[in-house]
């Protein structure tokens, strides 16, 4: 596949598939179309306004999933010590 820009729909689990590898993008973006910029070093994913959502390097051969470095599930809301 040549370098360039593609449009992908974020899967219900918040990921996209690119060149045979699943990349975690953003759970809140599920179901939305995103622009995926491919280059020799990896991918960059942008929303419809051109905002960079996530950037991933290509994984080593044999790796089929790349996470975003955050734990699964919703982020916990911290209670302010002032409350």
């Amino acid at each position: 596949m040549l370098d360039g820009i593609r449009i992908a729909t974020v899967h219900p689990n918040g990921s996209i598939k690119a060149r045979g590898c699943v990349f975690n993008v953003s759970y809140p973006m599920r179901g939305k179309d995103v622009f995926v910029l491919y280059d020799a070093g990896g991918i960059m994913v942008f929303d419809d306004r051109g905002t960079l959502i996530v950037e991933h390097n290509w994984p080593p051969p044999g790796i089929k999933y790349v996470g975003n470095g955050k734990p699964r599930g919703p982020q916990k809301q911290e209670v302010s010590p002032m409350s």
Side-chain angles (χ1 to χ4, degrees):
M1 183 180 293
L2 298 174
D3 293 347
I5 298 175
R6 307 280 188 269
I7 296 175
T9 301
V10 179
H11 297 176
N13 66 354
S15 67
I16 61 168
K17 191 169 187 178
R19 295 188 183 173
C21 185
V22 176
F23 291 90
N24 191 341
V25 175
S26 172
Y27 185 74
M29 294 293 296
R30 63 196 183 277
K32 296 183 180 176
D33 288 337
V34 293
F35 296 91
V36 184
L37 183 109
Y38 291 76
D39 67 17
I43 64 169
M44 292 187 284
V45 181
F46 297 88
D47 66 10
D48 59 352
R49 295 179 159 194
T51 304
L52 179 65
I53 300 169
V54 70
E55 186 174 6
H56 290 292
N57 293 326
W58 293 116
I63 302 296
K64 298 292 181 190
Y65 176 80
V66 177
N68 62 3
K70 297 178 183 176
R72 292 189 306 177
Q75 300 296 319
K76 294 182 180 181
Q77 299 292 328
E78 291 189 26
V79 177
S80 170
M82 300 299 283
S83 338

